[in-house]
Structures are given as C-alpha cells and as structure tokens.
Amino acid sequence: MTLLGESLRLLRSRGFHPVAARAPCRAFAGSLPCAKGAVPVKLTIEDWDFLEYPRISLVDRPAFLPAVMPHVDVLGHLCYFAPGAVTLDRYDPATALAQCLDQAKAMLDRISADPDYRVGDIQSEFPAHWEYGQLALPWTVFLGDIHHEATTAGYFILTQGERKHALVTCDADEARRLAQAIGASLKPSQFRCWLLRTPVRPSVPAKMPETVKELFAWLRVWDRSLAAGVQKALGEKEYLQQAYAAFAVNTPVGWIGFGFDLNKVKCIGYANSPKRFRNYLHNAGGTQRVFRMALREVSSRFVHSRNLSFNDLFNKRVTVVGCGAVGSFVAAALVRLGAGTGKLGKLKLIDPDTLGPENLGRHALGYSALMKSKAGALREELLRQFPHSDIEAHACSAFHHAQLFGAELIVDATGEESVSELLNGLRLQRGTRTPILHVWIRGNGEAVQALWADAQGGACYRCLLTPNTRVHREERFPLLKTEPLRRTDGCRAFTPYAVSAPMHAAALAIDMVCAWLQGDPSPRFRTRSLESADVFKVKNQDPARMEACPACARP
C-alpha cells in the first residue's frame, strides 16, 4: 500500500488525476510538459509488476506535432521504450512511472523539434507505419517465393478452420507445400498481384493516403518510376477481370502492399478499354478507398537468412552421416540454416539403423518415430517443419552410397571412431576437396569435440592419435582424466550421457559450419567442456599434420 501511495503522490505532483478504467487497470489523465507546449495524455497501468510498460496515449494532438509520427500508432498509443529495452523496478513503482513519463516527453520533444529524426525513423520502419496506421487491422498476406524479374504473382487462399490467409507466390508448388505444412486447405485464385520494385525509401507523407487519388499523388512524390509502374499495370486488360487490384512493392526497408476494390459495372463497361478505366480512377473513381496489406514473407530464402549476417546454406549440398543423437540435432540445425534450399541445394541423411526405445531419451525424435529408419523418420519430421527443403534419406551404410562425396560438406556425426577413420581414409584416398566435419561426444558428456578436415593440409582425423605402436590409440591431445562409465544392455555396450550432450555437440558443429560460411572454419579442432568437468585443458587450434600419420603422411 505504501508503494501505491508513493506512485499516486508522484502522479499528483505531475498533474495527473485518476479517470475511469476497466478493472484491473488504473488510468490517469494529465499532460506532458513538452518544450513546444503541453501534450494531453492518458496513462494506463495494467500490470504493476511491469512485465508490460504502462500505456501512454495521446488524448489530443497539438498543432506542433505532425499527423504522422514515429512510435505513435493510429490510436495515439506512444511506443516510448522498445520492448525489453528498459527493466522497470517493480519494487519502486513511483520511480518506474517517472521514467516512463520522462521518456515519453523526451520522445515527443524530439519528434516535434527534429524533422530529420521524424522522417528517418518513419522511413526505417515504414512497413509497420503503413500497416498499423489505420483503424481497421490490415489483411495479413503471406509472401512466398518471388522471382527476381516477375511482374505478377499468383494469389492463393489458405483456410485453417475459420481463419483465412492470402498467399502471393510465383511458385504454385510452394503454395501446395505450405498449405500441407500448416494443415490448411488451398484454393487458387483467378486474381493476380502486381509486383513492383524501387530503390528509393518510401516518402513520408503528411498523412497516409486513404483514396486512390491520394495514393497516386503520394507514389509520384515517392518515386516517379514506381508510380509509372502502377499506371502501366492499370493499362492492362487482365486486372479488369478482378474484384480488386492488389500491388506488392519491394522497397529498401521491406515489402509494403496496397490495393483497392474495382467497380464491377465500370469494369464490364471498360473491359476492352483499360486505359479509360484508368482515367476514371484519376477522376470520379479516385474517391475509392485504398486498403493496405500486412505482407509477411514466408519463403525459404527469408526464413533461413533473416537472422544471419552472412550467406546461409542456400544452393549448397550437405550430407549428414549418422542420424543418431548428435546427427539428429545437427540435421535440425542445418535445415534452419538453409540446407536443402535453392535449385541446387540438397540435404542428405545417411544412417542404416532404426530408432529403438533406447535412443529416445537423447534423440531429437520421439515415440512417433519408434522402430522407423532414423534417416527416414528424421527426413519426415524436418519436411513437416520446413516443407520447402529438398531432403533425401538413405537407410544404408555411408560406404554403400555412391554419391557420398557429391556434396560441398559432409558432417560425420556417427561418434564411432572406426566409421570416422574410414571416412577420413576415403577422403584422403580420393583426393576430394569436400571437407568433412567430424563431431563427437567425449566421456559421459563432460566435453564435446570437432575437427574440420579438408584439402588445405592440416591434420586429418587420424592425426589426433600419436603413431606410437607401443601404446594403443594414445591421444595426441589428452582430454579425459578418468575412464568414462560404460554400461551394457544385453550384448550391447553404451556410454550414458545426458540429453544436453548431443545438443552441445551439435551447437559446436553448427558454429564451425557458420564459420565456414563466413570464409574460414578455423580453429579447425575445437573442444568444449562443462564447467564441472574434470578434464585436461585442450586449446582450440589448427593442428598440423602428424609426420608419421598412417593415413595422411606423405610417402
């Protein structure tokens, strides 16, 4: 109660008084003393734990504030802190509220005093202003694969129960796969969406265009070539057969979409004379309202590259040998990195085994894949999540796969020394330039290691053992201080470790793949251990080739 009292005193001292609000919210009316004058606002507090910032809304817009403002939506709600930017102190709500009011005042002062800031900020976030700067929520339209030179794209309707989404794509097969992935029915539309491109950032209007005539005027100010592209489309017969004209524009700050309904009677009358209908839109028809679309990119190129600052695995061929615990998490990460996308891209999964109950506790797959081929079940699951990827499953030994080295990268996730050694030997024997990334778990999960082996002349997999014939498989870089715990299950022996271990190993491998995509996988030999692990310190390094290595030593 004391904290609430302090908050109320703070608000009273700033001229705010309580107003009606729907419980459990509390609302207060007052003004922010901005440099150019007072701005009437309403402060609404829904959450005194401040998981959500208090809402500050403009009650009235003074003349010194522009009609279109950054960080202010059509309802007047002010975004004064970016989500998560500031953590408000729930134990000192009075100070927290003061922070919010002060930040809101500073934001409005900058908007009113600095036109360059206003324009620049709106331009950088223009799609958000375009979509939500209207009272009616925009229609969400998915944007699929758009060919670089395409001028129109197909319009599809995806129906999930009572929900409907539109999809604009140049690839009908992409529409089919997406619908299947999200459990939607697919209905092709006879309509087309016109595609336009501009190198110019959107012009910031005094107010967003609401009619066709205002839209045409704004486009001319923004980019005359873009405006001409719209007029050219309106000179074609095709659009007169539609109920509305829709446009998607690729700008330097993202896609924006708009359109307007077409007068059916006029369309019939001008069916053979689209230019006359276009003239009608510039005159009496120019009062037709414009609708704005919220375009959401769903293509594989966007999904897999959005979070990266470097090129993904688009158009690359990658093979994963071993689809067990480590390989399953590696494959899942590779798909998210774009493996299997593009006309040339492909992800191959190779493993001869089936998924047994003993595997489930540390595998990416669950009971739905029990007793199925590891490679096949993993492919099914990855395609369910990412239907645009080209993924092959081979339930055979890697050494029986004729096109094993027909890839830009092989990931050896078997964790079996004998298999890794044979893969290493084949790479050297064939003189292939395809690198192999070996990754494995050490001990009972205390550490994970990975080696990038390629034709650049560094250590091969066998170089990690010393060529001392008197000591059986002596490590060149000793790691474990104690022998790992081993268990038996019938005639089979296994090494127990927690489910975190294969995730740890997969993360190490993917970090090295990302380094390769950026131009250099170095350090090529890496070790990561748990903080509590009792192991020797092994430096991450680019190990040199062993002179007496039986696999790669030069004769």
Side-chain angles (χ1 to χ4, degrees):
M1 200 62 190
T2 303
L3 296 178
L4 178 58
E6 291 177 358
S7 300
L8 295 176
R9 284 192 290 273
L10 177 279
L11 292 173
R12 277 198 303 270
S13 71
R14 296 201 175 202
F16 282 80
H17 60 274
V19 294
R22 181 173 297 179
C25 299
R26 298 198 66 162
F28 304 85
S31 297
L32 295 176
C34 295
K36 291 190 175 183
V39 179
V41 298
K42 180 181 178 182
L43 172 70
T44 304
I45 306 167
E46 300 180 11
D47 171 24
W48 288 91
D49 290 320
F50 299 125
L51 295 176
E52 300 289 340
Y53 297 133
R55 186 167 68 246
I56 298 177
S57 308
L58 276 62
V59 175
D60 189 23
R61 181 178 61 84
F64 61 82
L65 288 176
V68 178
M69 292 182 282
H71 311 299
V72 180
D73 67 18
V74 69
L75 297 175
H77 300 327
L78 177 62
C79 178
Y80 52 92
F81 282 136
V86 173
T87 301
L88 300 178
D89 191 349
R90 64 190 299 270
Y91 298 106
D92 188 1
T95 299
L97 293 175
Q99 280 181 275
C100 296
L101 294 171
D102 290 343
Q103 177 66 14
K105 172 187 174 300
M107 182 73 70
L108 293 175
D109 275 338
R110 189 171 185 188
I111 290 172
S112 62
D114 187 351
D116 290 339
Y117 164 73
R118 169 185 168 267
V119 171
D121 214 43
I122 291 176
Q123 282 186 324
S124 64
E125 300 176 355
F126 195 86
H129 287 276
W130 179 252
E131 293 167 14
Y132 299 109
Q134 53 189 333
L135 289 174
L137 289 177
W139 191 19
T140 298
V141 177
F142 292 144
L143 199 63
D145 185 24
I146 301 299
H147 299 165
H148 183 65
E149 299 298 331
T151 56
T152 65
Y155 218 100
F156 300 83
I157 303 298
L158 304 171
T159 303
Q160 294 174 290
E162 296 182 354
R163 293 191 304 169
K164 288 187 176 182
H165 294 292
L167 168 67
V168 172
T169 177
C170 295
D171 186 350
D173 190 52
E174 178 189 38
R176 179 190 59 77
R177 284 179 278 138
L178 180 62
Q180 184 178 14
I182 65 176
S185 63
L186 179 68
K187 179 183 178 182
S189 168
Q190 299 302 314
F191 297 171
R192 306 289 291 173
C193 179
W194 272 260
L195 306 173
L196 300 166
R197 299 162 184 82
T198 175
V200 183
R201 296 205 301 175
S203 172
V204 178
K207 71 180 188 68
M208 292 295 185
E210 297 179 355
T211 65
V212 170
K213 191 172 290 188
E214 290 176 357
L215 175 69
F216 290 166
W218 173 61
L219 291 174
R220 287 194 297 271
V221 172
W222 173 6
D223 179 356
R224 287 192 170 275
S225 296
L226 176 62
V230 171
Q231 298 304 314
K232 180 181 178 183
L234 295 176
E236 300 173 5
K237 286 185 179 181
E238 185 178 0
Y239 80 95
L240 292 176
Q241 301 171 12
Q242 305 188 169
Y244 51 83
F247 298 85
V249 184
N250 191 5
T251 81
V253 293
W255 287 86
I256 67 168
F258 54 82
F260 44 87
D261 294 333
L262 300 175
N263 185 308
K264 186 176 293 186
V265 175
K266 294 289 185 182
C267 286
I268 294 174
Y270 295 133
N272 294 316
S273 184
K275 293 182 180 179
R276 290 180 63 192
F277 187 89
R278 183 175 63 191
N279 292 337
Y280 162 76
L281 290 174
H282 281 273
N283 295 288
T287 59
Q288 173 65 48
R289 303 284 294 185
V290 171
F291 61 80
R292 307 179 208 165
M293 296 184 290
L295 298 178
R296 297 288 178 268
E297 292 190 68
V298 295
S299 70
S300 60
R301 289 299 294 133
F302 172 79
V303 168
H304 298 299
S305 64
R306 178 186 181 276
N307 297 309
L308 302 178
S309 58
F310 50 89
N311 291 332
D312 59 17
L313 290 169
F314 180 78
N315 265 341
K316 285 190 165 45
R317 295 162 296 158
V318 183
T319 296
V320 177
V321 178
C323 298
V326 175
S328 65
F329 288 106
V330 166
L334 288 172
V335 165
R336 286 164 172 79
L337 198 55
T341 61
K343 291 183 178 180
L344 302 178
K346 188 180 294 294
L347 175 62
K348 286 186 181 180
L349 307 174
I350 302 178
D351 195 306
D353 293 335
T354 58
L355 191 72
E358 69 278 4
N359 305 132
L360 294 180
R362 57 193 190 188
H363 201 277
L365 298 177
Y367 274 95
S368 61
L370 186 62
M371 305 313 296
K372 291 183 179 179
S373 157
K374 288 181 179 178
L378 187 56
R379 175 184 180 273
E380 288 179 11
E381 176 59 21
L382 294 179
L383 283 178
R384 184 185 69 80
Q385 297 180 33
F386 297 94
H388 306 319
S389 301
D390 185 355
I391 306 174
E392 288 184 3
H394 298 271
C396 65
S397 166
F399 308 114
H400 295 156
H401 185 65
Q403 301 298 319
L404 178 61
F405 288 93
E408 275 89 10
L409 172 64
I410 295 174
V411 180
D412 165 27
T414 63
E416 297 182 27
E417 284 191 56
S418 58
V419 174
S420 300
E421 279 218 1
L422 185 50
L423 284 172
N424 178 66
L426 287 176
R427 180 184 67 82
L428 295 167
Q429 177 184 334
R430 297 186 183 187
T432 179
R433 301 193 65 81
T434 301
I436 298 181
L437 172 58
H438 304 275
V439 57
W440 61 96
I441 297 170
R442 297 302 310 271
N444 298 114
E446 296 96 332
V448 295
Q449 291 184 307
L451 174 72
W452 184 281
D454 56 25
Q456 300 304 310
C460 76
Y461 181 81
R462 184 54 188 265
C463 289
L464 300 182
L465 297 176
T466 62
N468 187 345
T469 56
R470 293 174 298 176
V471 180
H472 179 65
R473 306 191 74 78
E474 181 180 17
E475 293 183 22
R476 180 179 175 186
F477 307 104
L479 177 64
L480 300 179
K481 292 184 178 180
T482 58
E483 285 293 317
L485 173 67
R486 300 276 290 173
R487 290 181 181 167
T488 58
D489 178 13
C491 295
R492 294 173 298 185
F494 67 97
T495 304
Y497 51 74
V499 68
S500 57
M503 296 178 182
H504 197 189
L508 174 61
I510 296 302
D511 283 348
M512 295 181 74
V513 173
C514 290
W516 170 62
L517 288 172
Q518 294 174 82
D520 185 5
S522 179
R524 284 170 158 75
F525 179 49
R526 305 188 191 188
T527 302
R528 290 181 184 171
S529 58
L530 300 178
E531 291 79 359
S532 58
D534 183 22
V535 295
F536 294 107
K537 178 70 174 177
V538 177
K539 178 183 177 183
N540 290 340
Q541 58 191 288
D542 291 320
R545 178 181 297 178
M546 289 282 290
E547 289 187 6
C549 174
C552 70
R554 294 184 177 86

